[in-house]
Amino acid sequence: MATSKSLPIVWFLFLAVFREAALKADARAFFVFGDSLVDNGNNNFLTTTARADNVPYGIDYPTKRPTGRFSNGLNIPDLISEAIGSEATLPYLSPNLTGDKLLVGANFASAGVGILNDTGNQFFNIIRISAQMQYLEQYKQRVRFVTSKYACCGQGPYNGIGLCTPRSNLCPNRDIYAFWDPFHPSERANRFIVKNILAGSADYISPMNLSTIMVLDAAENV
């Protein structure tokens, strides 16, 4: 499934991520791009023939079942995650990639792709490298806040009762919460709001953002 055209990009991107993770203790989000050498199940969620969802694939995997990995067991990303003491990344298309799992990173790889978009033309409906990059941007949007369901500080179900007090439950990482208390955004959420007030597109602020208003106002006063 791996082609001579696909190998350079697979290994370049893969090792670049490994180097970043290995050299920085806090750089634990692990991102995988490439083809069947590193795909850990994305193609299972696609209508394509480039899949490893049948036996004997996975015969030596802990579950003894096929997982979408083109291997008898663990593949390269699994073993690198194991070596750096990190949880294995989930396929980006997996419905289980939510909440804290997003902080581990994501695997965007798709069997059959290559460095060029015309590589793997014999396979339909695979995630080509350009699409993998687009999925990375979507991932960044998702990771801005891991949860908006729970408040960081509060009490009761979802920390949703009353205001924040010295006796309230307090989350350890405020940056992944959209709400500080049951009623008010966290600082990070406020920063995101202000960013869109200042420079957001019409999808977020209408008829124009504050920067545009200030430019127009300055032009009128020249």
Side-chain angles (χ1 to χ4, degrees):
M1 195 68 65
T3 68
S4 58
K5 290 183 179 179
S6 70
L7 285 173
I9 194 165
V10 169
W11 285 103
F12 173 76
L13 293 170
F14 199 78
L15 293 177
V17 174
F18 173 74
R19 182 174 180 273
E20 186 75 8
L23 294 181
K24 295 184 179 180
D26 58 348
R28 288 295 185 184
F30 186 29
F31 305 103
V32 182
F33 308 86
D35 61 6
S36 56
L37 291 173
V38 290
D39 184 356
N40 68 344
N42 276 310
N43 282 19
N44 281 3
F45 300 96
L46 301 173
T47 305
T48 179
T49 57
R51 295 168 64 142
D53 58 349
N54 57 273
V55 295
Y57 286 113
I59 190 171
D60 296 314
Y61 193 76
T63 61
K64 307 296 183 185
R65 301 177 62 184
T67 62
R69 293 165 172 81
F70 285 77
S71 172
N72 58 302
L74 301 178
N75 66 4
I76 295 168
D78 296 322
L79 295 172
I80 290 184
S81 293
E82 186 179 279
I84 64 177
S86 177
E87 183 179 347
T89 57
L90 290 174
Y92 181 71
L93 298 183
S94 171
N96 296 322
L97 187 64
T98 60
D100 289 344
K101 296 290 185 182
L102 284 164
L103 301 181
V104 176
N107 186 315
F108 303 95
S110 178
V113 305
I115 191 168
L116 303 176
N117 279 334
D118 61 356
T119 306
N121 277 341
Q122 68 270 35
F123 301 113
F124 294 98
N125 203 25
I126 56 178
I127 313 170
R128 304 195 182 278
I129 290 297
S130 58
Q132 291 181 30
M133 297 299 106
Q134 292 173 5
Y135 278 150
L136 175 62
E137 292 304 313
Q138 293 178 16
Y139 167 90
K140 290 176 182 179
Q141 297 291 327
R142 292 174 64 186
V143 150
R144 278 182 176 148
F145 303 106
V146 169
T147 181
S148 59
K149 186 175 182 179
Y150 293 84
C152 173
C153 185
Q155 41 278 319
Y158 309 105
N159 280 347
I161 298 175
L163 293 175
C164 185
T165 73
R167 293 187 176 184
S168 295
N169 301 315
L170 181 63
C171 68
N173 185 355
R174 271 81 66 191
D175 283 345
I176 66 174
Y177 284 76
F179 287 93
W180 160 244
D181 64 21
F183 311 104
H184 306 99
S186 63
E187 178 183 326
R188 190 174 183 193
N190 283 331
R191 289 182 181 277
F192 180 68
I193 293 168
V194 170
K195 179 181 177 181
N196 281 286
I197 290 173
L198 290 171
S201 67
D203 292 333
Y204 296 98
I205 185 165
S206 182
M208 62 187 70
N209 60 46
L210 183 56
S211 294
T212 303
I213 293 173
M214 293 174 69
V215 168
L216 294 174
D217 183 65
E220 289 181 0
N221 292 321
V222 171

